[in-house]
Amino acid sequence: MLKRYDRLSTDEICLVILMVGFFLRMIYAIRVGYDYSPHDLGVLTSPGKEGFGHLAYIQYLYENHAFASVYMGQFYHPPLFYIAGAMLAALFRVRMDYAPAFEALQQLNMAMSCVGTYYAYKIAGKVCRNDRFLIAAAIYLAFCPAFYVIGAELNSDCFVTVFQIMAVYYTIVWLEESTVRNILRIAVCIILAMLSKTSGVIIAGAIGCCFLWRIIDRKSEWKNLLKQYAVFGAVSIPLGLSWEIRKVLVLGAPLGYIMRLPVTHQQYVGDLSLGERLAFPYHLGLCYQSIDFSDPAYHCNIWTQMFYTMNYDENLILGTSGAASLFFYRLLFYVSIVLYIMLADMLIRALFDKSICMGLRLAVCLNYLIYLAFFIVFSFNYPHICSMNFRYIVLTAVLLILGYGLYYSRHYDKRILNNAVLILIAVQSISASMLYLIWPRI
């Protein structure tokens, strides 16, 4: 049972915390330009021509009301995010000035991040109903630095993350009540994730394991479950793969095509040793305040890059921002590393705790391991600095706090450990909020 503090229940207190986080992130998105994070943004091009980058993709859709006939540049990406951008261009473009439309798209992206954290909190309420955990989860999600980062970027990372979170939520809802309606909700979320970014399909791995476990666990219901799986596949597979199929059949792109930088590019790290790339990080960030893409040997370690980019955008520059920004930058970096390791340890422990529902362990803990494995494999298949970016696996930040919830539900009596986690979450949240409010790059 949730407690009431004066006139507010725990859920109401948590919603207030989430609203404060929403407010701060929206302020941040307003204060920074849409182009502060140049992840292949590219530039606008002449009317009717395909250019390079996310901006040119949006421009082409708006001006031609059709998809491009090429898949090079950024045009290989699924179109959902770019269609939203084109629709906003129709509303906010002023003559030939697209800037107001791109600013509006940035606000939409940040609003989507708020939707994602709300659904993440709803999942937290399903994995553990303890008041103390729910408040800790609300603080963690409301001020999570990764959502500051992807919400202000102008690409599809935020869209796909939100739909993946929603897919996890509706999977847990389906585990509670296995109906056609609920499994179709999962299908819709997966479709939207795959139409946002090709990597959206990864969420299907853990969900498929949940489906398999349910039919093993409830053998007497196998006929009904197989019917549901058939409906799920009939809806999600053709619609989810529709863009990939078009890309292969219409444009002649290789199956699963992702733009690859050449080995001669300054970011290339494929010629460095396995130890340098995968050993526990030996560069922990105090010596650099932004990523120097011309020095791959210094930025080749997967874990260092993951820890760095889960807190800051790769374009964060603090050189002239003053002592306060530098203090919160360093504090956030190291506290987040300690918190990440502690949460990951508890998530792994929860995975092997047989007293916890297997479905929850698959949807949360196994899901985390799948995404972490994807991140490592992707970093080696595309061995460049920009590939080792946490923005591809922001879902894991959510899964960590959910894994902690599963652990907490069985170990709420470990006060010293749980107090330490709460303190680290508070310090991380304060540091992230102060850093991103003190340091807006305008």
Side-chain angles (χ1 to χ4, degrees), residues 17 48 73-75 77 81 99 106 126 161 226 230 233 246 275 294 315 354 413 423 428:
I17 293 170
Q74 297 299 312
F75 288 88
H77 283 297
F81 170 78
Q106 186 185 39
K126 290 187 175 295
T161 299
L226 285 180
R246 176 190 180 273
S294 65
N315 197 45
K354 295 182 179 180
D413 55 335
I423 291 170
Q428 175 184 267

Side-chain angles (χ1 to χ4, degrees), residues 306-307 310 336-344 368 372 400:
M306 184 186 76
F307 288 139
M310 77 179 182
S336 296
I337 291 175
V338 175
L339 179 61
Y340 186 99
I341 293 173
M342 289 181 67
L343 294 181
Y368 168 82
L372 190 63
L400 282 174

Side-chain angles (χ1 to χ4, degrees), residues 148-354:
Y148 276 97
V149 174
I150 65 169
E153 293 174 351
L154 218 60
N155 54 43
S156 57
D157 292 320
C158 190
F159 271 52
V160 69
T161 299
V162 172
F163 294 130
Q164 288 169 337
I165 293 171
M166 293 174 65
V168 174
Y169 172 75
Y170 286 115
T171 298
I172 295 175
V173 170
W174 179 82
L175 288 172
E176 295 173 341
E177 185 179 2
S178 300
T179 63
V180 173
R181 178 185 179 187
N182 287 333
I183 205 169
L184 284 176
R185 288 175 170 177
I186 305 172
V188 170
C189 293
I190 293 178
I191 291 167
L192 293 174
M194 294 177 67
L195 292 179
S196 298
K197 199 161 190 171
T198 305
S199 59
V201 71
I202 300 170
I203 194 67
I207 293 174
C209 291
C210 290
F211 289 174
L212 179 61
W213 169 76
R214 175 47 54 94
I215 203 168
I216 294 173
D217 185 57
R218 297 187 179 179
K219 296 175 183 176
S220 61
E221 302 175 16
W222 68 272
K223 288 184 179 180
N224 177 50
L225 290 172
L226 285 180
K227 289 178 182 178
Q228 290 188 34
Y229 298 164
V231 172
F232 174 86
V235 173
S236 63
I237 293 175
L239 292 178
L241 292 176
S242 58
W243 179 257
E244 191 67 26
I245 293 170
R246 176 190 180 273
K247 197 168 63 176
V248 173
L249 297 182
V250 177
L251 304 181
L255 183 65
Y257 171 81
I258 298 176
M259 185 179 69
R260 183 184 294 272
L261 297 176
V263 297
T264 55
H265 196 279
Q266 64 175 357
Q267 294 189 38
Y268 185 70
V269 295
D271 55 349
L272 297 169
S273 71
L274 183 65
E276 289 176 297
R277 297 211 57 202
L278 202 54
F280 191 78
Y282 46 88
H283 299 145
L284 287 179
L286 268 181
C287 298
Y288 70 97
Q289 297 166 17
S290 63
I291 296 175
D292 182 2
F293 291 109
S294 65
D295 188 6
Y298 194 72
H299 300 280
C300 68
N301 187 270
I302 290 175
W303 307 117
T304 301
Q305 293 303 108
M306 184 186 76
F307 288 139
Y308 181 88
T309 55
M310 77 179 182
N311 291 308
Y312 326 109
D313 185 81
E314 62 188 25
N315 197 45
L316 178 65
I317 299 173
L318 291 168
T320 59
S321 298
S325 292
L326 191 57
F327 169 77
F328 287 115
Y329 161 83
R330 291 175 174 175
L331 181 62
L332 174 60
F333 186 82
Y334 287 107
V335 166
S336 296
I337 291 175
V338 175
L339 179 61
Y340 186 99
I341 293 173
M342 289 181 67
L343 294 181
D345 174 70
M346 286 181 277
L347 180 145
I348 298 299
R349 292 175 185 270
L351 175 62
F352 294 101
D353 188 338
K354 295 182 179 180

